[in-house]
Amino acid sequence: MPRIDNDIKLDFKDVLLRPKRSTLKSRSDVDLERTITFRNSKLTWTGIPIIAANMDTVGTFEMAKTLAKHKCFTTIHKHYSIEEWAEAFKEDKTTPGFVAASSGICDYDWEKLQQILALHPEIKFICLDVANGYSEVFVEYVRKVRKHFPEHTILAGNVVTGEMVEELILSGADIIKVGIGPGSVCTTRKKTGVGYPQLSAVIECADAAHGLAGHIISDGGCTCPGDIAKAFGAGADFVMMGGMLAGHDQSGGDIIECNGRKMKQFYGMSSATAMQKYSGGVAEYRASEGKSVEILYKGDVNATILDILGGLRSACTYTGAGKLKELPKRTTFIRVTQQTNEIFAGLQADDKKA
Ligand code: 5GP
């Protein structure tokens, strides 16, 4: 008989952060940097734990260069050629400290990952990304990569439940990517009916990871800086974004003119568009689990990242967290039925500040 879990599970849209009395004088008093020592690699990293997703329109070298200047992180997508990797980061000593090289689990990806890390010994992070982090072969792959690269910090996912977070950490991963189905161009929930509300997934997975001295990334579902603040408040150590960082100069893809408006293409990495581009089409046995959209061109990502960091600092000020690390301790979520006043929805002159 199927089991029904009657506990209420929540998304970012279901809650708001409760403001709390604080001694902070201004937003500029807030420290968004974290220094984290990873469980298995023993590596220590300092930076602002915001991550650009390893999607080919987001996790680009250009994005990494810009985000690194803000001490933010980028998981570089896995579709750059070895020649492109060889040309990357020349005389740039900063950016490699804020990037991960990504890999899937096939033999080709494994070979390429080894070549990339041989070319760039200064890169200390590896992102192992599969749509379904629950499979036995994935766990085996994490073990293999850990054995081969004992001192690299391994990001692995995606999963949404505590027991799998624990299994991946015990298999050698340091940071677990949490999120199945919340992404802006993801269609997994529609295609398969599988998923987990992101806020609850983060709360539960953070608890599991932290119990083992591991860490998690809230991956997907952030639509505005407030959602990022909620993800950190829920216990995420890092927050990964695709859609919010897409459509910029530093994002991949051309600008398209559409009815006099500048647009950029953005698509899921399991969409038919991506599969066409990299695998020559959608294999018969699988459905595409991502979509392709055209979004408004947003200009330089510097402005967006400053807007995000400003929002985060403000969230910390409202809740009385002097450091980002303190935000979960200062967090009380209030369940709500409404987030914003929609009377002028769609009428904003400046999209950036939405
Ligand atoms: P966003 O920030 O756009 O809401 O979510 C980004 C995340 O969506 C990515 O980091 C990745 O985990 C997920 N994602 C990217 N492409 C696809 C796809 O084609 N299908 C699914 N199911 N998820 C995707």
Side-chain angles (χ1 to χ4, degrees):
M1 207 168 61
R3 210 182 143 259
I4 297 180
D5 185 346
N6 279 312
D7 285 354
I8 288 170
K9 304 291 177 189
L10 301 170
D11 261 305
F12 299 133
K13 67 163 183 29
D14 301 317
V15 299
L16 287 168
L17 289 160
R18 187 180 201 266
K20 290 191 178 155
R21 200 155 57 81
S22 113
T23 51
L24 292 165
K25 290 199 188 71
S26 109
R27 289 204 247 178
S28 58
D29 289 345
V30 174
D31 180 7
L32 293 181
E33 278 187 33
R34 280 197 63 182
T35 296
I36 301 176
T37 300
F38 299 107
R39 180 190 196 268
N40 293 317
S41 69
K42 313 288 184 226
L43 183 102
T44 298
W45 176 86
T46 298
I48 298 180
I50 281 181
I51 311 184
N54 50 307
M55 303 169 77
D56 68 348
T57 49
V58 178
T60 62
F61 290 134
E62 297 77 17
M63 183 68 73
K65 243 182 170 28
T66 310
L67 293 199
K69 290 193 183 118
H70 297 275
K71 302 197 173 171
C72 295
F73 201 88
T74 302
T75 45
I76 304 286
H77 70 75
K78 67 173 189 177
H79 299 293
Y80 281 120
S81 66
I82 289 297
E83 292 71 31
E84 287 169 307
W85 272 102
E87 291 301 311
F89 312 128
K90 286 219 159 119
E91 281 156 43
D92 178 353
K93 298 254 182 293
T94 309
T95 311
F98 291 91
V99 305
S102 304
S103 165
I105 55 173
C106 67
D107 292 344
Y108 173 76
D109 284 347
W110 171 234
E111 291 302 322
K112 197 164 153 190
L113 178 69
Q114 292 175 82
Q115 289 175 21
I116 293 166
L117 296 177
L119 267 175
H120 290 285
E122 70 282 19
I123 293 179
K124 298 293 182 204
F125 290 80
I126 298 170
C127 176
L128 303 180
D129 186 21
V130 290
N132 174 7
Y134 284 77
S135 73
E136 187 106 10
V137 273
F138 184 59
V139 176
E140 284 306 318
Y141 190 63
V142 171
R143 288 210 183 100
K144 174 163 118 179
V145 177
R146 167 52 66 216
K147 206 167 161 205
H148 207 86
F149 295 106
E151 291 172 2
H152 280 68
T153 299
I154 298 178
L155 290 60
N158 279 23
V159 300
V160 283
T161 50
E163 90 282 2
M164 208 57 209
V165 166
E166 288 167 0
E167 171 137 14
L168 290 171
I169 290 174
L170 295 172
S171 302
D174 295 287
I175 319 174
I176 309 304
K177 240 150 62 83
V178 174
I180 293 188
S184 57
V185 281
C186 164
T187 56
T188 295
R189 291 179 184 176
K190 272 203 163 155
K191 284 280 164 75
T192 69
V194 176
Y196 210 99
Q198 186 66 3
L199 185 88
S200 290
V202 169
I203 293 172
E204 293 166 28
C205 291
D207 188 50
H210 296 161
L212 288 173
H215 294 90
I216 69 154
I217 301 170
S218 172
D219 177 17
C222 288
T223 60
C224 56
D227 290 343
I228 302 172
K230 291 173 190 175
F232 281 123
D237 301 288
F238 294 83
V239 177
M240 179 177 272
M241 278 165 280
M244 283 183 71
L245 296 175
H248 294 92
D249 293 331
Q250 292 86 346
S251 320
D254 298 327
I255 295 176
I256 313 155
E257 289 272 349
C258 185
N259 299 331
R261 305 210 303 173
K262 286 183 175 170
M263 314 289 285
K264 269 197 149 188
Q265 197 187 24
F266 177 52
Y267 47 84
M269 293 315 291
S270 314
S271 64
T273 307
M275 285 197 249
Q276 204 71 46
K277 198 164 168 188
Y278 299 113
S279 321
V282 181
E284 261 178 44
Y285 63 88
R286 64 184 290 184
S288 82
E289 285 179 24
K291 61 183 170 188
S292 178
V293 292
E294 277 168 14
I295 59 173
L296 268 183
Y297 164 62
K298 303 183 208 159
D300 190 337
V301 80
N302 270 297
T304 300
I305 204 77
L306 288 175
D307 195 45
I308 289 172
L309 300 185
L312 258 185
R313 280 197 192 92
S314 197
C316 289
T317 316
Y318 272 116
T319 52
K323 295 185 167 117
L324 183 61
K325 188 175 193 289
E326 290 165 11
L327 190 57
K329 275 184 245 143
R330 305 286 304 178
T331 291
T332 302
F333 287 120
I334 313 158
R335 279 191 69 196
V336 295
T337 53
Q338 182 176 314
Q339 283 280 314
T340 52
N341 182 338
E342 295 298 313
I343 187 166
F344 295 130
L347 293 180
Q348 188 160 335
D350 176 2
D351 286 314
K352 275 266 171 59
K353 297 214 177 84

Tab-separated table of all heavy atoms in Angstrom, residues 313-334:
chain	number	residue	atom	x	y	z
A	313	ARG	N	22.520	41.067	2.634
A	313	ARG	CA	22.980	41.869	3.781
A	313	ARG	C	21.785	42.435	4.535
A	313	ARG	O	21.736	42.442	5.757
A	313	ARG	CB	23.855	43.034	3.302
A	313	ARG	CG	25.239	42.618	3.015
A	313	ARG	CD	26.218	43.783	2.931
A	313	ARG	NE	27.442	43.253	2.377
A	313	ARG	CZ	27.734	43.233	1.093
A	313	ARG	NH1	26.916	43.789	0.223
A	313	ARG	NH2	28.843	42.687	0.671
A	314	SER	N	20.802	42.879	3.768
A	314	SER	CA	19.622	43.465	4.379
A	314	SER	C	18.841	42.406	5.169
A	314	SER	O	18.350	42.671	6.266
A	314	SER	CB	18.766	44.089	3.278
A	314	SER	OG	17.854	44.964	3.836
A	315	ALA	N	18.742	41.198	4.607
A	315	ALA	CA	18.048	40.107	5.316
A	315	ALA	C	18.747	39.830	6.648
A	315	ALA	O	18.093	39.624	7.674
A	315	ALA	CB	18.045	38.845	4.456
A	316	CYS	N	20.084	39.866	6.636
A	316	CYS	CA	20.844	39.636	7.873
A	316	CYS	C	20.577	40.766	8.866
A	316	CYS	O	20.448	40.535	10.067
A	316	CYS	CB	22.343	39.530	7.570
A	316	CYS	SG	22.782	38.004	6.716
A	317	THR	N	20.484	41.994	8.372
A	317	THR	CA	20.221	43.141	9.254
A	317	THR	C	18.844	43.012	9.900
A	317	THR	O	18.677	43.197	11.097
A	317	THR	CB	20.301	44.463	8.456
A	317	THR	OG1	21.436	44.413	7.617
A	317	THR	CG2	20.414	45.656	9.374
A	318	TYR	N	17.829	42.672	9.092
A	318	TYR	CA	16.459	42.535	9.624
A	318	TYR	C	16.355	41.453	10.692
A	318	TYR	O	15.564	41.536	11.621
A	318	TYR	CB	15.491	42.158	8.499
A	318	TYR	CG	14.903	43.336	7.750
A	318	TYR	CD1	15.173	43.519	6.388
A	318	TYR	CD2	14.044	44.239	8.373
A	318	TYR	CE1	14.615	44.576	5.677
A	318	TYR	CE2	13.491	45.294	7.678
A	318	TYR	CZ	13.779	45.465	6.329
A	318	TYR	OH	13.221	46.506	5.642
A	319	THR	N	17.170	40.392	10.519
A	319	THR	CA	17.050	39.266	11.460
A	319	THR	C	18.099	39.340	12.567
A	319	THR	O	18.112	38.496	13.454
A	319	THR	CB	17.223	37.921	10.703
A	319	THR	OG1	18.430	37.988	9.938
A	319	THR	CG2	16.060	37.641	9.786
A	320	GLY	N	18.995	40.325	12.470
A	320	GLY	CA	19.997	40.507	13.525
A	320	GLY	C	21.186	39.565	13.409
A	320	GLY	O	21.824	39.249	14.409
A	321	ALA	N	21.494	39.125	12.193
A	321	ALA	CA	22.654	38.244	11.990
A	321	ALA	C	23.836	39.083	11.504
A	321	ALA	O	23.819	39.602	10.396
A	321	ALA	CB	22.325	37.155	10.969
A	322	GLY	N	24.859	39.204	12.340
A	322	GLY	CA	26.031	39.996	11.960
A	322	GLY	C	26.855	39.315	10.884
A	322	GLY	O	27.565	39.946	10.117
A	323	LYS	N	26.719	37.995	10.824
A	323	LYS	CA	27.429	37.200	9.813
A	323	LYS	C	26.418	36.297	9.130
A	323	LYS	O	25.474	35.819	9.785
A	323	LYS	CB	28.468	36.301	10.485
A	323	LYS	CG	29.576	37.033	11.163
A	323	LYS	CD	30.589	36.007	11.661
A	323	LYS	CE	31.846	36.716	12.068
A	323	LYS	NZ	32.213	36.622	13.410
A	324	LEU	N	26.700	35.984	7.865
A	324	LEU	CA	25.813	35.060	7.138
A	324	LEU	C	25.702	33.728	7.888
A	324	LEU	O	24.640	33.113	7.951
A	324	LEU	CB	26.372	34.832	5.729
A	324	LEU	CG	25.527	33.952	4.810
A	324	LEU	CD1	24.147	34.558	4.580
A	324	LEU	CD2	26.240	33.731	3.483
A	325	LYS	N	26.818	33.301	8.469
A	325	LYS	CA	26.847	32.029	9.208
A	325	LYS	C	25.808	31.996	10.336
A	325	LYS	O	25.295	30.939	10.694
A	325	LYS	CB	28.259	31.854	9.784
A	325	LYS	CG	28.517	30.516	10.417
A	325	LYS	CD	29.971	30.423	10.845
A	325	LYS	CE	30.398	29.028	11.194
A	325	LYS	NZ	29.926	28.453	12.358
A	326	GLU	N	25.495	33.176	10.891
A	326	GLU	CA	24.553	33.226	12.021
A	326	GLU	C	23.091	33.225	11.577
A	326	GLU	O	22.182	33.136	12.406
A	326	GLU	CB	24.792	34.499	12.845
A	326	GLU	CG	26.079	34.491	13.614
A	326	GLU	CD	26.460	35.882	14.120
A	326	GLU	OE1	25.622	36.808	14.056
A	326	GLU	OE2	27.604	36.025	14.542
A	327	LEU	N	22.863	33.372	10.268
A	327	LEU	CA	21.471	33.536	9.807
A	327	LEU	C	20.544	32.381	10.228
A	327	LEU	O	19.438	32.647	10.708
A	327	LEU	CB	21.457	33.757	8.280
A	327	LEU	CG	20.122	34.180	7.669
A	327	LEU	CD1	19.574	35.454	8.299
A	327	LEU	CD2	20.259	34.383	6.160
A	328	PRO	N	20.969	31.102	10.108
A	328	PRO	CA	20.046	30.039	10.530
A	328	PRO	C	19.636	30.160	12.000
A	328	PRO	O	18.482	29.931	12.347
A	328	PRO	CB	20.834	28.744	10.293
A	328	PRO	CG	21.885	29.103	9.311
A	328	PRO	CD	22.200	30.554	9.524
A	329	LYS	N	20.595	30.563	12.847
A	329	LYS	CA	20.285	30.695	14.285
A	329	LYS	C	19.298	31.830	14.522
A	329	LYS	O	18.558	31.821	15.498
A	329	LYS	CB	21.569	30.983	15.071
A	329	LYS	CG	22.317	29.721	15.440
A	329	LYS	CD	23.536	30.045	16.299
A	329	LYS	CE	24.788	29.679	15.533
A	329	LYS	NZ	25.921	30.515	15.666
A	330	ARG	N	19.334	32.811	13.653
A	330	ARG	CA	18.444	33.971	13.807
A	330	ARG	C	17.141	33.799	13.033
A	330	ARG	O	16.335	34.717	12.963
A	330	ARG	CB	19.152	35.244	13.301
A	330	ARG	CG	20.492	35.529	13.929
A	330	ARG	CD	20.400	36.046	15.334
A	330	ARG	NE	19.578	37.232	15.453
A	330	ARG	CZ	19.309	37.862	16.587
A	330	ARG	NH1	19.817	37.403	17.708
A	330	ARG	NH2	18.541	38.923	16.618
A	331	THR	N	16.975	32.633	12.400
A	331	THR	CA	15.815	32.456	11.514
A	331	THR	C	14.615	31.842	12.209
A	331	THR	O	14.709	30.785	12.824
A	331	THR	CB	16.204	31.562	10.305
A	331	THR	OG1	17.110	32.296	9.472
A	331	THR	CG2	14.986	31.168	9.473
A	332	THR	N	13.500	32.558	12.107
A	332	THR	CA	12.195	31.957	12.379
A	332	THR	C	11.400	32.169	11.098
A	332	THR	O	11.294	33.304	10.612
A	332	THR	CB	11.472	32.662	13.550
A	332	THR	OG1	12.306	32.597	14.697
A	332	THR	CG2	10.135	32.005	13.846
A	333	PHE	N	10.908	31.085	10.528
A	333	PHE	CA	10.076	31.231	9.334
A	333	PHE	C	8.613	31.389	9.753
A	333	PHE	O	8.133	30.682	10.642
A	333	PHE	CB	10.199	30.000	8.427
A	333	PHE	CG	11.514	29.915	7.702
A	333	PHE	CD1	12.362	28.834	7.880
A	333	PHE	CD2	11.899	30.915	6.811
A	333	PHE	CE1	13.573	28.743	7.199
A	333	PHE	CE2	13.110	30.838	6.132
A	333	PHE	CZ	13.944	29.749	6.325
A	334	ILE	N	7.948	32.314	9.102
A	334	ILE	CA	6.517	32.476	9.342
A	334	ILE	C	5.819	31.912	8.111
A	334	ILE	O	6.168	32.286	6.975
A	334	ILE	CB	6.124	33.964	9.422
A	334	ILE	CG1	7.084	34.719	10.329
A	334	ILE	CG2	4.687	34.130	9.884
A	334	ILE	CD1	7.085	36.192	10.024
